[in-house]
């Protein structure tokens, strides 16, 4: 009986890892760049509630990126 993980060929895990690494690098950079650009225009240093709201949104976006990466791995393994 074939396990779900047997459906991946030998180079697929490396290709998936490389794709996830590249995607996370781009998304992480874009999120942080966007946060910096936005915070420059709204005087984040003089408005602590705005800082914490922006920080929360930033962290949520990063965590959703990691959740998407986990989903991609689980899907690639044929577990869903």
């Amino acid at each position: 009986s074939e396990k779900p993980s047997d459906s991946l060929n030998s180079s697929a895990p490396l290709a998936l890892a490389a794709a996830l690494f590249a995607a996370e690098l781009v998304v992480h950079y874009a999120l942080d760049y966007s946060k910096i650009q936005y915070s420059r225009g709204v005087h984040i240093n003089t408005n602590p509630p705005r800082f914490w709201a922006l920080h929360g949104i930033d962290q949520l976006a990063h965590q959703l990126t990691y959740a998407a990466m986990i989903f991609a791995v689980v899907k690639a393994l044929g577990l869903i």
Side-chain angles (χ1 to χ4, degrees):
S1 148
E2 186 177 303
K3 294 183 283 184
S5 60
D6 291 341
S7 64
L8 292 175
N9 66 40
S10 62
S11 64
L14 184 56
L16 178 61
L20 289 174
F21 173 78
E24 204 283 329
L25 181 69
V26 169
V27 170
H28 197 110
Y29 178 83
L31 289 171
D32 288 346
Y33 180 83
S34 298
K35 181 177 76 170
I36 290 167
Q37 295 305 311
Y38 176 78
S39 66
R40 284 182 180 165
V42 295
H43 308 289
I44 207 83
N45 295 335
T46 60
N47 191 340
R50 185 170 284 162
F51 167 81
W52 288 111
L54 184 59
H55 181 68
I57 292 167
D58 174 67
Q59 290 303 301
L60 175 63
H62 284 294
Q63 296 307 313
L64 289 174
T65 301
Y66 300 136
M69 292 170 66
I70 292 168
F71 176 79
V73 170
V74 169
K75 186 149 176 71
L77 291 173
L79 299 175
I80 56 171

